[in-house]
Amino acid sequence: MRLKPVRLPEKFVNSIMKMLGRYEKKDLLERSLKLKNVLNCRKRPLEKQDLRQQLQLWKEAISWQMVGNMDNVAPEDKVEVEDKIHRAVIKKVRQQSYNFKPIKYDTKIASAFVADKGLSNYATTFRVLKEIQSRQPEFQPATVFDFGSGIGTTSWAVNTLWPDNIREYFCVDVSQQMNDFAFAILHGGNCETTKPIPGVYFRQFIPLSGKNSYDLVVSAYSLSELPTLNDRITTLRLLWQKAKQYLVLIENGSLEGYKTLIEARDFILEGDKKTRKQNPATNAPYGHQSGYVFAPCSHDQPCPRFSDGSNTPCNFEQDYYTLPIHKKNVSTERFSYMVFRKGARSEEEISYPRIVRPVLRRSKHVICRLCCANGSLSEAILTKSKHPKDLYQAARKSQWGDLLHVLTTEADQRAITDEDDPESTDEDDPE
């Protein structure tokens, strides 16, 4: 469900503007744009075994290119040739391998984050949490755990949606500088004022004790900052243990961001099946709590985006209002997300298809690209002449990211691939 442009809370904006007032505007905007580009292009580092395999492939290719068969090299020349090959491999690594480095948020980098990326983080978090609220109005969280809390955007979004419910916000961010910024923003840019959101606590590390659990656990743009698969799985295990009902994961809408979420999806749905015995009563590994994908998927099958060979991410967009210091009043963030819910998917629950690409509006018909409950991608073509008026109008008004609250027949759908993805401009129906 794509919302209208998200507007940040007035107190949140006022606090940010007060804190950013100490920085020169031009320099601040340049730094914020640079940081945004770095974060949007972020990649996970190769695992050690993958790196070793890649190095071996490069070594074999360079060796063959330089001398062909090493057996033909004279014994007295082998040491020199091998040294040349080694130096060429190192050069190749530096040129083509992604150099992952943890970002250390000092005052300048933290302020650059606040000026831009922090706004889009709020918008996407608000949009995802709004879907939970809209689909499950009976869900009234009292406690929230925020991993990678940054400047506290999750706390502000949760407080906007459930203002009278929350008694505890537990925020974890390894950067003390970001925690300081979040604390100052919470206090209106002045640490001496009364904070508008009570019950907010900041820590640098996740408590290892599994005693405390929370109604809602959120990790926004944080899993991809962990350097190894083992780190990500260890963190996911802790977050899933702490979630009473919902675990929300949000990442950049890039292929790398989506692959990070697929790792998480596989772990939540399958647990450590490769190394642990399954409990036949729950069909899940012993000690692993079962759950299902609440959104965006309407199924727990493998992601069709990867199985169809297109290797494209499942992502969405959300518009949001920027700060007064920006030239553009409204900006757009592309993101991917996963919401997991504890327990089993209800058989009575109707799993509507999700619109996973922009709706194509044509004269007298509309085309919706869907991810369906059976785990497949399909395309629904709804026309004025063949479908009921309310169904046709509902599809026409739908947006990328919405659930299509209609059950279309197989005759209305045909399998699609991204190679056949018609990216043309939407057209209003003349009638």
Side-chain angles (χ1 to χ4, degrees):
M1 46 174 279
R2 183 171 180 172
L3 306 175
K4 293 180 179 180
V6 172
R7 191 180 297 276
L8 280 68
E10 185 178 356
K11 291 182 179 179
F12 189 38
V13 173
N14 291 341
S15 296
I16 290 175
M17 292 302 296
K18 185 174 182 180
M19 294 187 64
L20 296 181
R22 70 190 71 167
Y23 300 98
E24 197 273 323
K25 180 180 174 180
K26 182 179 179 181
D27 177 62
L28 177 64
L29 292 177
E30 288 177 352
R31 286 189 287 109
S32 65
L33 179 60
K34 183 178 179 180
L35 177 62
K36 183 177 182 178
N37 291 335
V38 168
L39 292 174
N40 287 344
C41 297
R42 205 91 159 117
K43 293 182 180 180
R44 299 165 299 165
L46 285 173
E47 297 295 315
K48 288 183 179 180
Q49 63 271 23
D50 296 329
L51 181 58
R52 283 195 293 267
Q53 185 179 21
Q54 185 64 64
L55 287 174
Q56 183 61 33
L57 291 174
W58 280 337
K59 182 178 179 180
E60 292 174 359
I62 292 172
S63 175
W64 184 261
Q65 185 180 10
M66 282 186 171
V67 297
N69 194 333
M70 282 292 290
D71 294 337
N72 297 330
V73 179
E76 62 272 17
D77 297 332
K78 275 196 173 184
V79 174
E80 182 180 354
V81 170
E82 287 177 351
D83 182 61
K84 286 183 178 179
I85 293 173
H86 176 72
R87 283 187 276 113
V89 170
I90 296 300
K91 183 178 180 181
K92 188 86 168 178
V93 170
R94 290 173 177 170
Q95 288 176 341
Q96 297 195 15
S97 292
Y98 180 75
N99 187 20
F100 180 92
K101 291 182 180 179
I103 297 177
K104 296 182 179 180
Y105 285 89
D106 57 17
T107 303
K108 280 193 171 183
I109 296 179
S111 62
F113 182 90
V114 172
D116 196 321
K117 194 63 178 175
L119 314 180
S120 59
N121 285 13
Y122 174 88
T124 55
T125 303
F126 180 87
R127 176 249 180 268
V128 174
L129 297 180
K130 181 65 177 177
E131 179 173 354
I132 297 176
Q133 185 189 59
S134 299
R135 291 175 56 188
Q136 299 292 329
E138 68 278 7
F139 175 62
Q140 298 292 318
T143 54
V144 178
F145 187 95
D146 183 13
F147 173 70
S149 53
I151 61 171
T153 51
T154 294
S155 297
W156 286 90
V158 170
N159 183 70
T160 302
L161 293 168
W162 295 283
D164 302 320
N165 286 74
I166 313 299
R167 66 171 186 269
E168 180 184 359
Y169 303 83
F170 197 100
C171 304
V172 175
D173 199 294
V174 70
S175 169
Q176 185 58 48
Q177 192 67 53
M178 293 297 275
N179 286 333
D180 292 342
F181 260 83
F183 184 84
I185 292 172
L186 191 64
H187 289 77
N190 183 350
C191 294
E192 297 178 358
T193 61
T194 304
K195 56 184 179 182
I197 307 177
V200 182
Y201 305 95
F202 297 98
R203 299 290 186 273
Q204 282 187 274
F205 304 101
I206 301 178
L208 296 179
S209 171
K211 293 181 180 180
N212 295 332
S213 57
Y214 301 80
D215 297 325
L216 178 64
V217 175
V218 179
S219 171
Y221 303 92
S222 300
L223 282 180
S224 55
E225 290 300 311
L226 301 177
T228 69
L229 175 61
N230 184 63
D231 290 335
R232 293 190 290 273
I233 294 302
T234 299
T235 301
L236 270 171
R237 187 180 291 112
L238 288 171
L239 296 180
W240 187 236
Q241 288 174 353
K242 290 186 176 297
K244 284 184 183 178
Q245 297 192 55
Y246 289 95
L247 170 61
V248 176
L249 306 177
I250 306 173
E251 293 292 341
N252 285 318
S254 63
L255 184 58
E256 280 293 315
Y258 192 58
K259 284 182 177 179
T260 302
L261 292 179
I262 290 297
E263 282 180 356
R265 189 181 191 272
D266 291 343
F267 173 75
I268 298 299
L269 297 182
E270 300 177 10
D272 297 331
K273 286 185 177 179
K274 294 181 180 179
T275 57
R276 297 162 64 188
K277 294 182 179 180
Q278 282 185 251
N279 182 347
T282 61
N283 197 34
Y286 286 102
H288 184 82
Q289 295 173 294
S290 63
Y292 65 95
V293 183
F294 178 81
C297 317
S298 54
H299 61 85
D300 297 329
Q301 305 299 319
C303 176
R305 281 289 168 205
F306 290 146
S307 61
D308 70 351
S310 63
N311 206 35
T312 58
C314 179
N315 52 26
F316 307 92
E317 289 185 345
Q318 180 57 53
D319 301 328
Y320 61 95
Y321 287 101
T322 60
L323 295 175
I325 59 175
H326 294 279
K327 291 182 178 180
K328 290 174 62 178
N329 187 35
V330 176
S331 190
T332 302
E333 175 75 358
R334 183 167 290 190
F335 67 102
S336 296
Y337 74 104
M338 289 279 173
V339 179
F340 302 98
R341 190 178 185 184
K342 288 283 180 75
R345 191 186 298 272
S346 172
E347 294 183 0
E348 290 77 24
E349 181 181 345
I350 300 176
S351 297
Y352 293 108
R354 174 84 59 175
I355 300 175
V356 292
R357 286 292 182 265
V359 177
L360 301 177
R361 300 172 182 87
R362 299 290 183 261
S363 178
K364 297 182 173 58
H365 74 277
V366 59
I367 304 171
C368 298
R369 281 77 64 84
L370 308 170
C371 182
C372 301
N374 62 1
S376 67
L377 293 172
S378 65
E379 188 171 273
I381 303 174
L382 300 119
T383 65
K384 263 191 170 184
S385 59
K386 295 181 180 179
H387 297 87
K389 183 177 180 180
D390 56 344
L391 169 60
Y392 173 74
Q393 290 296 333
R396 196 165 193 84
K397 293 177 182 178
S398 295
Q399 299 289 334
W400 179 11
D402 289 349
L403 290 172
L404 187 59
H405 288 88
V406 293
L407 297 179
T408 57
T409 63
E410 291 186 5
D412 298 327
Q413 301 181 10
R414 59 183 174 84
I416 59 167
T417 62
D418 276 353
E419 288 79 12
D420 191 37
D421 195 7
E423 292 291 346
S424 53
T425 306
D426 290 357
E427 300 174 3
D428 291 330
D429 193 330
E431 300 182 19

